[in-house]
Amino acid sequence: MKESKGGIYKKFFKRPMDFILSLIAIIVLSPVLLIIAILVRVKLGGPVLFKQQRPGFNEKIFMMYKFRTMTDERDENGELLPDSVRLTKFGRFLRSTSLDELPELFNILKGDMSIIGPRPLLVKYLPLYNEHQKRRHEVRPGLSGLAQVSGRNAISWEDKFNLDVNYVDNVSFMNDWKIIFSTIKKVFVREGINSETAATMEPFKGDLYK
């Protein structure tokens, strides 16, 4: 059976493109990365990087890197305060401009992630996915993806998963570059950063109709 153009791109060209683009971006943006790191250290304290395990391709767990955007403020019982309290004005700026995501370029360079793909979510969500939702892990997770340029945190979990699977079924060079250009536009417009009811996306609680 003849392999489709999308299949050839996915198999032979997507990973080399990711490596080259992430390497170029790291070199070009190195002054920006340094300045942000200094500002995070001064305004939010250490550590500068937020590190968290996330599921990647075929649900393989990897350590994802982002710039820190929240303080470690806790209540009298030692429990972390809500995200809306710990997310500072500076942290909101980093998120609204997606500058907090820049360290993920190193994840792309390593091969944990791709430039474009479904966003890597929390490990604790893995047992909650139905068979349709699990398909988001058939490709490497991305720095940006179809769901991000279609609403990011402002859309429902159901819509987000449907967009992720739609991307998995339609991986191609043209689709990836359309999403890349749409991502650049979204960053400048700062659309869809927060959901309507929270500072960050509400937790995924599972599909009741598995």
Side-chain angles (χ1 to χ4, degrees):
M1 183 176 179
K2 187 176 181 181
E3 195 163 13
S4 67
K5 289 182 180 180
I8 293 172
Y9 165 71
K10 180 179 175 181
K11 187 173 182 180
F12 298 107
F13 295 102
K14 186 171 170 64
R15 174 58 192 151
M17 185 180 81
D18 286 336
F19 181 86
I20 293 168
L21 290 180
S22 61
L23 181 60
I24 292 172
I26 289 169
I27 293 170
V28 172
L29 297 174
S30 56
V32 177
L33 290 164
L34 179 60
I35 291 170
I36 295 173
I38 293 171
L39 289 173
V40 170
R41 184 69 178 84
V42 171
K43 292 179 175 291
L44 299 176
V48 168
L49 292 180
F50 170 77
K51 296 186 288 186
Q52 190 175 59
Q53 289 188 327
R54 297 290 176 98
F57 180 53
N58 288 333
E59 300 184 7
K60 180 181 178 182
I61 306 301
F62 70 96
M63 188 67 73
M64 188 184 78
Y65 310 113
K66 298 175 70 172
F67 280 122
R68 182 180 177 182
T69 58
M70 294 187 185
T71 66
D72 285 330
E73 293 179 85
R74 299 173 183 269
D75 60 22
E76 61 274 10
N77 298 317
E79 298 292 329
L80 286 171
L81 294 175
D83 290 355
S84 58
V85 176
R86 296 189 296 118
L87 186 59
T88 65
K89 184 177 180 180
F90 176 64
R92 288 181 186 277
F93 169 76
L94 290 180
R95 289 191 178 195
S96 68
T97 55
S98 296
L99 290 172
D100 64 315
E101 311 278 1
L102 289 180
E104 291 168 40
L105 289 169
F106 292 97
N107 286 121
I108 298 170
L109 195 68
K110 289 170 56 183
D112 298 325
M113 293 176 61
S114 179
I115 297 290
I116 301 300
R119 285 292 296 162
L121 301 176
L122 300 177
V123 173
K124 68 179 182 180
Y125 292 164
L126 286 175
L128 304 178
Y129 297 146
N130 60 30
E131 291 304 312
H132 175 72
Q133 294 161 351
K134 284 181 180 179
R135 295 199 56 221
R136 69 192 313 278
H137 295 291
E138 292 177 11
V139 296
R140 285 185 178 88
L143 180 65
S144 182
L146 185 58
Q148 281 58 54
V149 299
S150 303
R152 198 172 174 178
N153 288 345
I155 61 176
S156 70
W157 278 110
E158 182 180 4
D159 289 341
K160 184 177 292 188
F161 287 130
N162 287 337
L163 287 165
D164 288 342
V165 175
N166 179 278
Y167 173 79
V168 169
D169 287 337
N170 296 281
V171 175
S172 72
F173 178 82
M174 289 301 297
N175 283 342
D176 274 6
W177 277 99
K178 285 179 182 177
I179 296 172
I180 288 172
F181 288 124
S182 294
T183 299
I184 294 170
K185 179 183 176 182
K186 290 282 183 180
V187 166
F188 281 106
V189 178
R190 303 189 192 182
E191 290 180 344
I193 305 304
N194 299 323
S195 65
E196 294 179 354
T197 59
T200 54
M201 185 69 182
E202 289 83 4
F204 177 59
K205 298 179 181 178
D207 183 357
L208 298 177
Y209 305 101
K210 288 184 179 180

